[in-house]
Amino acid sequence: MLTKFETKSNRVKGLSFHSKRPWILASLHSGVIQLWDYRVGTLIDRFDEHEGPVRGVHFHISQPLFVSGGDDYKIKVWNYKLHRCLFTLLGHLDYIRTVQFHHEYPWIVSASDDQTIRIWNWQSRTCISVLTGHNHYVMCALFHPKEDLVVSASLDQTVRVWDIGALRKKSVSPADDILRLSQMNSDFFGGVDAIVKYVLEGHDRGVNWASFHPTLPLIVSGADDRQVKIWRMNDTKAWEVDTLRGHMNNVSCVLFHARQDIIVSNSEDKSIRVWDSTKRTGLQTFRREHDRFWILVSHPEMNLLAAGHDSGVIVFKLERERPAFSVSGDCLYYVKDRFLRSYEYSTQKETQVLPIRRPGSTSLNQGPKTLSYSPTENAVLVCSDLEGGSYELYIIPKDSFGRGDTIQEAKRGLGSSAVFVARNRFAVLEKSSNQVLVKNLKNEIVKKSPLPVPTDAIFYAGTGNLLCRAEDRVVIFDLQQRILLGDLQTSFVRYVVWSNDMESVALLSKHSIVIADKKLAHCCTLHETIRVKSGGWDDNGVFIYTTLTHIKYCLPNGDSGIIKTLDVPVYITKIFGNTIFCLDRDVKNRPIIIDSTEYVFKLSLLREKYGHVMTMIRKSDLCGQAMIAYLQQKGFPEVALHFVKDERTRFNLALESGNIQVAVASAKEIDEKDHWYRLGVEALRQGNAGIVEYAYQRTKNFERLSFLYLITGDLDKLSKMMKIAEVKNDVMGQFHNALYLGDIQERVKILENAGHLPLAYITASVHGLNDTAERLAADLGDNVPPLPKGRQSSLLIPPSPIVCSHDWPLLMVTKGILEGGLENFGKSGQDEEDDVAPNEDWVEDLDLVDVENIQNEDISMVLDDEEINEENGGWDLEDIELPPDLDTPKVSNVRSSIFISPAAGMPVSQIWVQKSSLAAEHAAAGNFDTAMRLLTRQLGIKNFAPLKSLFVDLHMGSHTYLSAFSSAPVIALAIERGWSEAASPNVRSPPALVFSFTQLEEKLKAGYKATTAGKFTEGLRLFQAILHTILLIVVDTRREVDEVKELIIIVKEYVLGLQIELKRRELKDNPVRQQELAAYFTHCNLQLPHLRLALLNAMTVCYKAKNLNTAANFARRLLETNPTAENQAKTARQVLQAAERNMNDASQLNYDFRNPFVVCGATYVPIYRGQKDVSCPYCSSRFVPSQEGRICTVCDLAAVGSDASGLLCSPSQIR
């Protein structure tokens, strides 16, 4: 069973599939009817007007209707588009068991516990026939799919077939009057509409279900006697053909499968059983643990079934419908009707190649699952699930090609997957042992390879390589070298599609697609809500794939879109240009022509092929909101602008791309306040004062205009604004303008007119207008306000603007290829309108008023916009004297394509990089890339992970950061080494570095101290930190350079020694290796106190292990160092005395103290004089030859044995 969809709900009693849409209705025991989309898995709607359980439900085949019947004796007809019940049919006197629409006539048949079957006309909303005869509950009643018959099943242990031919004749209007008369007579005198044709008796208990075969004269029934019976009928009689036994409880529902010779039944024994209707044997049983099954339906068009049980619905298929196929060059090989066939793409010719054995098994899903083809050997591997997974190998004879009649015995074998990996070799997966068997064409095992991951399927991944699928990842395995070439975490992969050049692979899961390269490096992941079915690569490297409902594309960056909608699912086999070749579920080849313009356009944008983009814009019909949104999202609003005709969208895109010219034209067309305001904001951002002024004028936004004139320093217009505010009686506006202008007399006058005499008096007094102050004091009398003592007054005048009355200066830059190319594209009448002289556009300028000649009662004239615009009587245009270049606002729209930008100075960090060959100084400048290249060239450094934090510290430490003011970005300043005020500003010193040689000396002392205290891990960390930091220090003299090199050797010896000792402490159960490592530790070049401790340690270890001869050697060496600690010398003498009595070693060690040696830094074995070795180019540690090319284990930086020019840490080393 292939489960497609499951729900969790109350007990499901009725089900119905929609004939066209992916919907299923489920009626529940709780009284709710649910409408589900089984493809997406969502609940679309619920209908709950019934009281009590709803046992029957059915969709109409063509109308947006469904019918339901419940335990409330009601039949309800619903319109799912209107989401409501249209009407209720009343007449039954007990529970209603089933309801069904007729496929042709406006009828509904219903079965009820009142022992009747009723046929209703849902158009006239009346009962047109009552079928009586059963003497117990009628459990089900169904129309025949083609003939005028109804079958019913009842608890009276019978199945009845009713002939409703008379009802049909009656409902279809008769042609002549005589027939009509006879019909009227039968109506008056009780004519019979439906008669019992057959009564089928044979069940021992009540019958729960009966249904017709879709094409044959067969009936199948299921009953409480746990049996399924098949009945045959002819024109005169019906009889029992056979009984299917196997259910352990009441059979609740049974039906014939529409497309296969099978019967499906379900039961209260919690199982669904599938039977072969020709052999009448059981094929398969599907069980649930806790849920009894109640209802079973099949889809009218598709190969789908649904079953309702105690806790929900399950929608399922019995067999896979995906054909097995393989593409080779121009040919497609696939299996259809037990034949291997080929299809040639170029000629679209189909050929039958050879017959393929029919599975002799009795269960489902045993047909060919996958197919693999070897073109050179003309061999085909067909895999199926037969016997738990098996394959068949066919060699296609050259001469029989096209006849398809050669029957040859296939070579067979067991294996869950089989695939060709070379010309005459194929790999078979043996799941039980998790290994791959490589076989030849004689089906003989040539090689066995264990797989590195638990694998449940294998796919081809290039010659000699396999793509192995595990539960949560896929890997590419090289069968020859037995190594992993790639590994990728992914959800469970079902299909694998390689591109033609084998450079890219698409991994198809149920609801996702992962695109990766040939080494399984992840490129992008795409998620789909609907199941992904197949895919293929086109010539441009775009992945085209199908879901259940669509053909879609996926670009290399993960962008996707829909190409075409599908009626039925198809499986892509190959893509040639604009033609997609597919196989459908009937295994027919279907070429589908698609329009690839959209994804080729997006691909060209992605790959920056702007020439191609331009051509497509000119020649293709690319439009639509999705394309505009895509161009916006990808940062090409200027390109989107050329697709758009809608003015509002054009306006938004023009603002986004900064194209003020188009924005102004669109704003004039739209002419709404909000659009003018947004245009003003964008123009202000660009510093285009003329357009800002024009936009504010169009919206009569006087406050913003005043502020604009203030910041552009246009005091003449500001004073006009003050007069306009006075005419409009806008006291606050008038006062603000006076404040902006610094006009004291005007401010006093405004305050006086507004009745604020104390404020007017204070303002006049403070600013020295004594006459006015005296006059106001007289008016105030005793209420003259006192002035604050000891305060200094100052005149409030706004600062002068930096750029006065000009547009802001703009930096000229070269136009992008897209902007330049689109400049002259699509010039039309509208574009000419854009180029109209600006005078016509916006030199309504500021429609200012000749305020002197206007009395207060004439204010209405000023506010009448239309009159003012047409005549200059109210608003004076001539008295604004503007500089000649500012008469009209102009858009900065320079059409030349070549501009020279001002040259920027060279940053200090760039000067550092140019002047220096020292890696530390490049890192300080922030050029980590060149610093890494220098270290690789000088010292063979390959592992930079330990240096990352040091690089960042160097860079941060050689710069300081200042914040100028809040709106400006932070300024980074380089700190130079040895800077002084006397130095010339044009001469740049090298960067100041945070690491110095003296710091390293301090660290060395700390390392010695940790070693003495026995804190070996701490000591090792300190010594390795010194090795890492030495690379990034700079010293001045040659002598210091020698000291640095000497420090490397000292630290290297300690790192090696401590690593050996820590390794020894890890080994608990290997005494021989412990002694060897203790011995090697004594041969590291350590400080004398540390060497004594190492010798004492080695002597003790060997003595305890009864290796007295070796222990005596360490005792002698310890005494030769003249140990200052008396107990050390005493122990050594005692060991020597004990050893002299018995100079033997209990175990043989890989240690010869007489032969000089060095210790390998990776394997910790001695490399004796004369033996070959390789060394680390940085720390000079020695290694056995097998370590060549690996990262040095001592410094953890350089590659062992690589070429290097040597340490460079001082300017004095560079001539």
Side-chain angles (χ1 to χ4, degrees):
M1 180 192 286
L2 303 166
T3 305
K4 298 294 173 187
F5 169 65
E6 266 194 273
T7 72
K8 290 275 181 286
S9 67
N10 263 311
R11 183 186 305 166
V12 175
K13 301 297 282 184
L15 288 174
S16 177
F17 277 110
H18 195 283
S19 58
K20 297 286 184 287
R21 300 194 179 187
W23 293 351
I24 188 166
L25 272 174
S27 61
L28 310 185
H29 201 263
S30 61
V32 175
I33 302 167
Q34 296 177 330
L35 176 58
W36 292 90
D37 185 319
Y38 54 80
R39 193 173 275 171
V40 183
T42 52
L43 180 65
I44 299 170
D45 210 340
R46 48 179 286 147
F47 308 90
D48 48 6
E49 286 184 26
H50 277 287
E51 294 166 17
V54 184
R55 298 178 188 276
V57 69
H58 192 242
F59 269 120
H60 194 279
I61 194 164
S62 57
Q63 298 294 322
L65 304 174
F66 69 88
V67 60
S68 62
D71 285 9
D72 53 4
Y73 314 166
K74 291 175 183 173
I75 296 170
K76 288 181 178 284
V77 176
W78 311 73
N79 185 315
Y80 55 73
K81 281 189 178 171
L82 303 176
H83 309 285
R84 67 185 179 84
C85 173
L86 298 181
F87 54 88
T88 303
L89 300 172
L90 299 171
H92 278 298
L93 307 172
D94 208 335
Y95 296 173
I96 293 158
R97 293 284 175 175
T98 64
V99 284
Q100 186 195 19
F101 279 112
H102 194 276
H103 59 280
E104 190 177 346
Y105 298 117
W107 296 345
I108 293 166
V109 64
S110 59
S112 166
D113 285 2
D114 64 7
Q115 305 182 12
T116 68
I117 298 149
R118 285 176 182 255
I119 298 176
W120 312 76
N121 184 318
W122 57 263
Q123 286 179 341
S124 63
R125 305 182 185 181
T126 55
C127 176
I128 56 172
S129 185
V130 181
L131 282 61
T132 56
H134 282 296
N135 52 31
H136 208 312
Y137 301 167
V138 185
M139 299 300 287
C140 118
L142 301 173
F143 287 118
H144 192 283
K146 292 187 176 62
E147 297 172 31
D148 297 326
L149 298 174
V150 170
V151 67
S152 61
S154 165
L155 294 189
D156 63 9
Q157 304 182 12
T158 66
V159 174
R160 289 177 182 243
V161 179
W162 310 76
D163 187 335
I164 54 167
L167 187 66
R168 182 179 63 81
K169 285 175 189 155
K170 176 181 164 185
S171 63
V172 177
S173 181
D176 57 13
D177 293 338
I178 298 165
L179 283 172
R180 193 176 291 122
L181 187 65
S182 67
Q183 184 181 308
M184 284 168 65
N185 286 339
S186 67
D187 282 353
F188 279 123
F189 303 112
V192 183
D193 297 329
I195 55 167
V196 177
K197 198 170 182 187
Y198 319 114
V199 178
L200 308 177
E201 296 176 320
H203 283 289
D204 301 333
R205 297 240 182 121
V207 188
N208 291 316
W209 201 267
S211 63
F212 287 114
H213 193 284
T215 52
L216 301 173
L218 296 175
I219 295 170
V220 66
S221 60
D224 287 351
D225 59 8
R226 306 177 185 182
Q227 294 174 0
V228 172
K229 288 187 182 288
I230 304 170
W231 314 79
R232 184 177 282 277
M233 58 186 181
N234 59 19
D235 293 339
T236 57
K237 61 174 180 172
W239 63 96
E240 183 181 332
V241 176
D242 210 342
T243 302
L244 307 174
R245 294 177 177 87
H247 279 295
M248 316 297 284
N249 206 331
N250 303 344
V251 180
S252 48
C253 194
V254 59
L255 50 83
F256 288 103
H257 196 284
R259 295 180 168 222
Q260 291 165 276
D261 292 336
I262 56 176
I263 293 168
V264 188
S265 62
N266 65 11
S267 160
E268 294 176 45
D269 65 6
K270 305 171 193 166
S271 75
I272 298 174
R273 287 177 185 259
V274 183
W275 316 81
D276 187 320
S277 61
T278 51
K279 295 179 184 170
R280 293 161 202 156
T281 54
L283 287 177
Q284 226 159 339
T285 304
F286 309 107
R287 298 183 193 280
R288 283 186 82 83
E289 270 186 59
H290 307 295
D291 303 314
R292 295 167 296 174
F293 284 102
W294 297 104
I295 182 72
L296 190 67
V297 289
S298 66
H299 196 287
E301 310 282 334
M302 290 159 63
N303 191 12
L304 278 179
L305 295 164
H309 53 76
D310 280 339
S311 57
V313 180
I314 177 166
V315 177
F316 60 95
K317 251 192 227 177
L318 290 174
E319 293 202 285
R320 296 169 86 251
E321 292 180 281
R322 182 189 177 89
F325 65 86
S326 176
V327 178
S328 172
D330 188 43
C331 250
L332 165 73
Y333 290 90
Y334 60 99
V335 177
K336 180 181 179 181
D337 302 334
R338 302 195 299 281
F339 280 95
L340 176 71
R341 296 167 184 257
S342 76
Y343 177 81
E344 208 169 275
Y345 292 115
S346 50
T347 59
Q348 296 193 14
K349 182 184 162 196
E350 196 174 311
T351 317
Q352 198 162 290
V353 180
L354 53 83
I356 281 180
R357 182 176 71 106
R358 183 181 186 179
S361 113
T362 53
S363 58
L364 300 165
N365 263 325
Q366 302 297 312
K369 195 171 179 182
T370 61
L371 196 142
S372 181
Y373 176 70
S374 170
T376 49
E377 300 295 326
N378 220 19
V380 174
L381 272 172
V382 180
C383 298
S384 66
D385 286 339
L386 205 62
E387 301 170 42
S390 63
Y391 66 88
E392 294 173 6
L393 174 65
Y394 296 90
I395 311 291
I396 304 169
K398 295 279 188 214
D399 55 347
S400 80
F401 201 89
R403 296 214 307 272
D405 54 2
T406 317
I407 297 175
Q408 58 161 264
E409 191 58 37
K411 296 181 174 68
R412 296 190 181 87
L414 294 178
S416 48
S417 294
V419 65
F420 279 106
V421 288
R423 184 174 60 81
N424 55 0
R425 296 280 186 273
F426 64 93
V428 181
L429 173 64
E430 195 178 71
K431 251 193 201 175
S432 55
S433 58
N434 198 44
Q435 62 178 352
V436 163
L437 314 176
V438 179
K439 300 190 176 186
N440 60 20
L441 296 184
K442 294 177 182 172
N443 208 17
E444 299 161 341
I445 297 176
V446 178
K447 183 181 181 183
K448 290 186 181 181
S449 288
L451 291 170
V453 292
T455 302
D456 60 8
I458 55 173
F459 304 91
Y460 177 70
T463 305
N465 295 342
L466 284 177
L467 190 140
C468 305
R469 177 187 76 191
E471 189 63 37
D472 59 344
R473 61 180 180 146
V474 290
V475 299
I476 291 181
F477 181 63
D478 187 323
L479 286 168
Q480 203 63 36
Q481 302 176 56
R482 299 193 181 184
I483 56 168
L484 280 185
L485 300 179
D487 186 347
L488 182 61
Q489 293 279 336
T490 171
S491 52
F492 185 76
V493 172
R494 310 176 99 187
Y495 312 113
V496 173
V497 186
W498 287 93
S499 59
N500 298 332
D501 56 5
M502 295 297 287
E503 288 296 317
S504 302
V505 64
L507 308 169
L508 277 57
S509 301
K510 191 174 184 178
H511 290 291
S512 65
I513 295 170
V514 176
I515 307 283
D517 67 11
K518 62 182 177 185
K519 294 283 176 70
L520 289 187
H522 181 266
C523 297
C524 63
T525 301
L526 206 62
H527 294 282
E528 286 287 340
T529 49
I530 293 178
R531 286 193 295 282
V532 179
K533 302 310 282 180
S534 68
W537 295 86
D538 88 338
D539 306 332
N540 299 308
V542 176
F543 186 66
I544 312 290
Y545 64 98
T546 63
T547 65
L548 278 171
T549 50
H550 293 100
I551 299 177
K552 295 187 167 187
Y553 64 82
C554 173
L555 298 180
N557 64 342
D559 289 339
S560 66
I562 296 172
I563 296 174
K564 193 177 176 75
T565 306
L566 293 171
D567 299 327
V568 290
V570 295
Y571 303 91
I572 294 176
T573 58
K574 198 162 181 70
I575 300 163
F576 285 109
N578 281 5
T579 307
I580 296 178
F581 287 95
C582 311
L583 282 170
D584 63 14
R585 283 181 164 170
D586 296 326
V587 202
K588 289 178 184 160
N589 281 286
R590 287 176 52 181
I592 298 175
I593 309 294
I594 59 161
D595 180 6
S596 61
T597 314
E598 181 187 321
Y599 73 75
V600 171
F601 177 79
K602 289 181 178 179
L603 187 69
S604 302
L605 267 182
L606 175 67
R607 292 181 174 166
E608 300 178 356
K609 294 182 179 174
Y610 296 130
H612 194 210
V613 171
M614 296 305 309
T615 311
M616 292 190 76
I617 289 172
R618 291 195 177 94
K619 293 182 180 173
S620 303
D621 185 20
L622 279 162
C623 59
Q625 288 299 323
M627 182 56 77
I628 292 159
Y630 180 84
L631 287 163
Q632 265 183 292
Q633 178 196 339
K634 295 296 174 189
F636 295 103
E638 71 279 4
V639 180
L641 199 54
H642 290 269
F643 292 119
V644 184
K645 299 291 180 279
D646 175 58
E647 289 298 347
R648 291 172 193 277
T649 315
R650 276 179 73 78
F651 179 81
N652 292 333
L653 289 169
L655 284 194
E656 194 176 329
S657 56
N659 192 333
I660 287 290
Q661 188 179 22
V662 175
V664 169
S666 294
K668 286 166 75 178
E669 290 293 327
I670 300 163
D671 200 21
E672 285 178 8
K673 193 170 182 179
D674 177 55
H675 287 74
W676 284 117
Y677 168 69
R678 287 172 58 204
L679 175 67
V681 170
E682 175 58 24
L684 192 60
R685 191 184 69 78
Q686 292 191 16
N688 199 324
I691 295 177
V692 179
E693 180 182 359
Y694 178 56
Y696 289 167
Q697 283 179 10
R698 290 297 292 252
T699 55
K700 298 286 181 278
N701 200 329
F702 295 119
E703 290 84 357
R704 289 180 185 279
L705 269 171
S706 296
F707 194 70
L708 175 71
Y709 294 143
L710 169 69
I711 61 171
T712 55
D714 201 333
L715 300 183
D716 289 346
K717 288 186 181 177
L718 201 51
S719 58
K720 301 281 182 191
M721 290 304 300
M722 187 168 73
K723 288 173 184 172
I724 289 170
E726 186 180 347
V727 171
K728 286 168 63 70
N729 213 8
D730 177 6
V731 179
M732 275 316 292
Q734 198 181 345
F735 187 77
H736 280 150
N737 286 315
L739 203 57
Y740 294 157
L741 284 162
D743 189 336
I744 309 304
Q745 289 171 332
E746 191 64 32
R747 274 163 57 196
V748 172
K749 180 179 149 191
I750 292 164
L751 290 167
E752 189 179 348
N753 289 346
H756 293 293
L757 294 182
L759 283 174
Y761 168 74
I762 290 171
T763 307
S765 302
V766 165
H767 293 94
L769 301 177
N770 297 327
D771 296 349
T772 310
E774 285 169 12
R775 180 170 58 76
L776 289 168
D779 290 349
L780 284 164
D782 297 337
N783 296 326
V784 176
L787 294 176
K789 298 276 194 300
R791 293 290 181 90
Q792 193 69 34
S793 61
S794 61
L795 179 61
L796 279 175
I797 292 186
S800 302
I802 298 166
V803 179
C804 188
S805 298
H806 284 276
D807 287 353
W808 293 355
L810 298 176
L811 182 68
M812 301 291 190
V813 293
T814 309
K815 285 198 172 183
I817 182 164
L818 283 172
E819 292 169 85
L822 291 166
E823 187 82 11
N824 302 313
F825 166 58
K827 282 285 177 196
S828 60
Q830 184 203 349
D831 290 38
E832 286 161 22
E833 185 190 318
D834 291 349
D835 294 336
V836 170
N839 293 353
E840 297 171 36
D841 278 357
W842 48 66
V843 172
E844 306 166 49
D845 210 353
L846 177 61
D847 304 332
L848 300 178
V849 187
D850 185 1
V851 186
E852 282 76 10
N853 301 326
I854 295 182
Q855 304 304 317
N856 273 346
E857 60 268 22
D858 294 327
I859 289 174
S860 58
M861 186 184 88
V862 177
L863 300 178
D864 186 348
D865 298 341
E866 295 306 315
E867 289 181 24
I868 296 164
N869 286 351
E870 286 172 14
E871 305 178 10
N872 296 343
W875 293 62
D876 187 6
L877 296 180
E878 285 72 33
D879 62 354
I880 303 177
E881 293 184 12
L882 299 173
D885 60 330
L886 293 174
D887 277 354
T888 56
K890 288 199 174 100
V891 180
S892 303
N893 182 30
V894 182
R895 300 222 166 201
S896 164
S897 59
I898 300 171
F899 302 113
I900 299 167
S901 301
M906 189 183 287
V908 178
S909 55
Q910 197 175 332
I911 297 171
W912 288 345
V913 170
Q914 287 183 352
K915 286 172 66 175
S916 172
S917 299
L918 303 177
E921 293 182 353
H922 281 250
N927 258 36
F928 294 174
D929 188 35
T930 55
M932 287 154 72
R933 281 208 291 272
L934 284 170
L935 288 173
T936 304
R937 197 166 65 232
Q938 292 165 8
L939 295 167
I941 306 296
K942 291 286 166 64
N943 178 27
F944 289 95
L947 301 180
K948 181 179 176 181
S949 60
L950 303 178
F951 273 32
V952 173
D953 290 348
L954 266 184
H955 178 53
M956 297 296 286
S958 60
H959 290 76
T960 188
Y961 300 88
L962 305 177
S963 79
F965 49 90
S966 58
S967 61
V970 172
I971 301 168
L973 294 176
I975 305 172
E976 298 169 26
R977 193 156 70 243
W979 182 85
S980 70
E981 287 189 27
S984 164
N986 297 324
V987 178
R988 292 295 182 187
S989 305
L993 302 177
V994 292
F995 302 124
S996 66
F997 190 58
T998 49
Q999 289 173 346
L1000 299 186
E1001 288 176 333
E1002 292 300 317
K1003 264 192 184 167
L1004 182 66
K1005 287 175 187 170
Y1008 284 160
K1009 198 171 180 183
T1011 308
T1012 308
K1015 297 175 182 174
F1016 293 151
T1017 310
E1018 174 68 13
L1020 181 61
R1021 188 183 60 76
L1022 287 164
F1023 288 126
Q1024 280 187 325
I1026 294 170
L1027 275 181
H1028 295 164
T1029 315
I1030 285 174
L1031 296 170
L1032 301 175
I1033 62 164
V1034 174
V1035 294
D1036 295 326
T1037 63
R1038 284 281 184 152
R1039 186 177 62 78
E1040 286 175 317
V1041 172
D1042 293 339
E1043 287 176 5
V1044 170
K1045 289 179 178 175
E1046 190 181 330
L1047 180 62
I1048 293 172
I1049 302 300
I1050 293 169
V1051 173
K1052 176 264 293 188
E1053 290 290 332
Y1054 268 87
V1055 171
L1056 178 60
L1058 293 179
Q1059 283 177 337
I1060 290 171
E1061 179 57 18
L1062 287 169
K1063 180 74 177 173
R1064 183 188 73 80
R1065 294 185 177 201
E1066 285 173 21
L1067 298 170
K1068 301 289 184 201
D1069 52 354
N1070 191 343
V1072 173
R1073 184 64 176 152
Q1074 276 192 323
Q1075 292 173 71
E1076 288 173 358
L1077 292 174
Y1080 303 153
F1081 190 17
T1082 66
H1083 288 264
C1084 293
N1085 195 359
L1086 309 177
Q1087 296 286 311
L1088 202 54
H1090 300 145
L1091 179 62
R1092 286 176 187 145
L1093 291 168
L1095 287 165
L1096 186 66
N1097 178 45
M1099 178 183 78
T1100 310
V1101 170
C1102 290
Y1103 184 79
K1104 284 180 178 176
K1106 302 286 191 291
N1107 273 21
L1108 301 179
N1109 190 13
T1110 311
N1113 169 50
F1114 293 133
R1116 283 189 210 97
R1117 283 177 61 194
L1118 179 57
L1119 291 169
E1120 282 166 10
T1121 63
N1122 297 322
T1124 49
E1126 184 53 41
N1127 62 335
Q1128 288 182 358
K1130 184 180 177 185
T1131 310
R1133 287 192 202 97
Q1134 286 172 346
V1135 168
L1136 209 53
Q1137 285 168 6
E1140 280 169 356
R1141 296 191 205 106
N1142 180 16
M1143 290 293 277
N1144 287 327
D1145 282 347
S1147 50
Q1148 184 68 37
L1149 303 183
N1150 181 14
Y1151 172 62
D1152 182 0
F1153 58 85
R1154 298 177 191 82
N1155 193 353
F1157 67 86
V1158 290
V1159 180
C1160 170
T1163 58
Y1164 310 134
V1165 296
I1167 304 170
Y1168 293 103
R1169 190 176 290 170
Q1171 289 182 342
K1172 282 189 178 179
D1173 66 357
V1174 284
S1175 62
C1176 169
Y1178 170 41
C1179 66
S1180 71
S1181 300
R1182 309 278 274 282
F1183 295 87
V1184 292
S1186 64
Q1187 294 294 316
E1188 187 165 3
R1190 298 188 186 178
I1191 299 297
C1192 169
T1193 50
V1194 176
C1195 64
D1196 194 26
L1197 297 171
V1200 174
S1202 54
D1203 293 331
S1205 57
L1207 179 67
L1208 209 58
C1209 63
S1210 169
S1212 63
Q1213 291 173 277
I1214 305 160
R1215 293 199 185 105

